Amino acid sequence: MPRKSRVKSKSGYYHVMLRGNEKKNIFRSDDDKKRFIEILAEKKLDGKFYLTAFCLMSNHVHLMIKEGNEDLSGSIKRIAGTYASYFNKKYDRTGHLFQDRFRSEPVEDESYVIALVRYIHQNPVKAGLVKKVSDYKWSSYSCYLSDNDEMCQIVDTDLILGIFSDDKKKAIEQFKKYMEQTEGTEVFIDIEEEKMSTEEAKELFKEMAMEFGIKDIENLEIKKRKEWHDLIKKYRYETGLSIKDIASIAGVSRYSVHKILKEKGKA
């Protein structure tokens, strides 16, 4: 069956999601995330595209991009290709890093624009990684509060702040309040529901455990620590697996998983 053509945005703005192949992690360290941001900076030179918001999660990335003097597909292919080369060389691996085709949707309406930026910034909160959007380091949220951070030089904040107010100080205050509000009824592209095999699910759990510094998932003492709780929450968010399946893969009781997820209302 032929692929559907991408819907062209009249405004030039798009919500883009890049995800790891087979839901595998595309970032294994903070240095990997720094490198991805550097690549964004490199590839947007000369007005090839404009970046309004981003959020880097362990196995996927959300971007809000405006086309510049290059079409969307060209920009994303250059970003993904350069990062994949870096990642494969660093970790001595071969094969596809990203899912074959990135996902995108046009962004037109003003209310949809600011809701999308909120959605992107709230990804880590929904994943149970942080309590507030301001606590997460690897998103563009802080770029709207201050442009002193070198990382924030790649983010074009004028569009969003201008929607809130012409007065920048007032705009920032209103932006902060809006970013913390509960999401509305808008629906955005996100991780697709896919059925993983049991082996794939177990392998992903071990990989994510390493990300939290957990080398021995059988260690009973580890399962009492905050890192274990954070792992379970993130694994649930990334995979959408049932409590029963997670308990089996993690080697703990269903009650234990349920209790951990309930801490953030994720049960």
Side-chain angles (χ1 to χ4, degrees), residues 132-249:
K132 300 185 296 182
V133 292
S134 57
D135 294 335
Y136 193 67
K137 182 179 179 180
W138 302 106
S139 82
S140 53
Y141 175 80
S142 64
C143 305
Y144 281 86
L145 311 187
S146 170
D147 56 7
N148 293 330
D149 190 330
E150 185 178 343
M151 178 180 81
C152 293
Q153 301 305 311
I154 67 171
V155 182
D156 304 294
T157 62
D158 290 347
L159 171 72
I160 302 301
L161 292 179
I163 292 174
F164 287 100
S165 174
D166 292 332
D167 182 306
K168 189 169 184 178
K169 187 175 180 180
K170 290 181 180 178
I172 290 174
E173 288 306 310
Q174 291 179 29
F175 170 85
K176 287 165 64 177
K177 291 178 181 177
Y178 184 80
M179 289 300 111
E180 295 289 354
Q181 290 175 10
T182 304
E183 291 182 11
T185 58
E186 299 86 358
V187 177
F188 305 100
I189 55 173
D190 206 334
I191 293 293
E192 292 175 314
E193 292 297 325
E194 290 181 353
K195 184 66 175 177
M196 289 189 292
S197 70
T198 301
E199 289 307 311
E200 287 173 334
K202 287 180 178 179
E203 189 61 33
L204 179 59
F205 186 78
K206 290 178 183 178
E207 188 175 312
M208 290 177 67
M210 292 294 289
E211 182 183 336
F212 284 94
I214 301 172
K215 297 179 180 179
D216 181 8
I217 61 174
E218 302 298 330
N219 189 323
L220 295 177
E221 288 302 312
I222 287 290
K223 297 177 181 180
K224 299 176 183 178
R225 297 179 185 175
K226 180 180 182 297
E227 291 87 348
W228 181 263
H229 286 222
D230 290 342
L231 168 62
I232 294 296
K233 292 169 192 169
K234 187 173 182 181
Y235 187 71
R236 166 65 172 242
Y237 173 77
E238 300 285 10
T239 65
L241 290 174
S242 68
I243 289 176
K244 177 183 176 182
D245 287 341
I246 294 174
S248 175
I249 290 165

Side-chain angles (χ1 to χ4, degrees), residues 6-173:
R6 295 192 186 279
V7 179
K8 188 72 175 174
S9 170
K10 296 176 183 178
S11 69
Y13 284 95
Y14 293 89
H15 174 203
V16 173
M17 189 183 75
L18 274 167
R19 57 167 294 180
N21 195 31
E22 298 178 339
K23 289 191 176 181
K24 291 182 179 178
N25 286 358
I26 55 177
F27 303 112
R28 296 183 182 178
S29 69
D30 284 356
D31 284 342
D32 293 343
K33 292 171 183 171
K34 288 177 184 176
R35 181 56 190 142
F36 189 88
I37 291 171
E38 289 172 357
I39 290 169
L40 287 175
E42 294 165 8
K43 302 307 179 185
K44 74 187 290 286
L45 290 174
D46 302 321
K48 288 190 168 59
F49 65 87
Y50 303 92
L51 183 66
T52 303
F54 70 84
C55 184
L56 312 186
M57 302 293 282
S58 61
N59 71 349
H60 67 286
V61 173
H62 285 281
L63 306 170
M64 181 176 165
I65 281 182
K66 184 181 189 297
E67 285 183 327
N69 54 36
E70 179 178 56
D71 65 28
L72 180 69
S73 292
S75 295
I76 300 303
K77 285 177 182 176
R78 290 191 305 114
I79 293 167
T82 301
Y83 181 76
S85 295
Y86 152 83
F87 189 91
N88 285 350
K89 182 178 180 180
K90 179 178 178 179
Y91 296 107
D92 191 25
R93 69 181 296 278
T94 57
H96 294 294
L97 176 62
F98 294 102
Q99 180 177 292
D100 286 344
R101 196 176 190 230
F102 69 90
R103 301 182 66 196
S104 69
E105 59 185 348
V107 181
E108 312 285 8
D109 183 75
E110 186 175 277
S111 62
Y112 189 85
V113 166
I114 58 174
L116 170 60
V117 173
R118 178 175 62 187
Y119 167 78
I120 289 174
H121 289 154
Q122 286 191 352
N123 254 243
V125 178
K126 292 197 304 176
L129 303 181
V130 293
K131 293 181 179 179
K132 300 185 296 182
V133 292
S134 57
D135 294 335
Y136 193 67
K137 182 179 179 180
W138 302 106
S139 82
S140 53
Y141 175 80
S142 64
C143 305
Y144 281 86
L145 311 187
S146 170
D147 56 7
N148 293 330
D149 190 330
E150 185 178 343
M151 178 180 81
C152 293
Q153 301 305 311
I154 67 171
V155 182
D156 304 294
T157 62
D158 290 347
L159 171 72
I160 302 301
L161 292 179
I163 292 174
F164 287 100
S165 174
D166 292 332
D167 182 306
K168 189 169 184 178
K169 187 175 180 180
K170 290 181 180 178
I172 290 174
E173 288 306 310

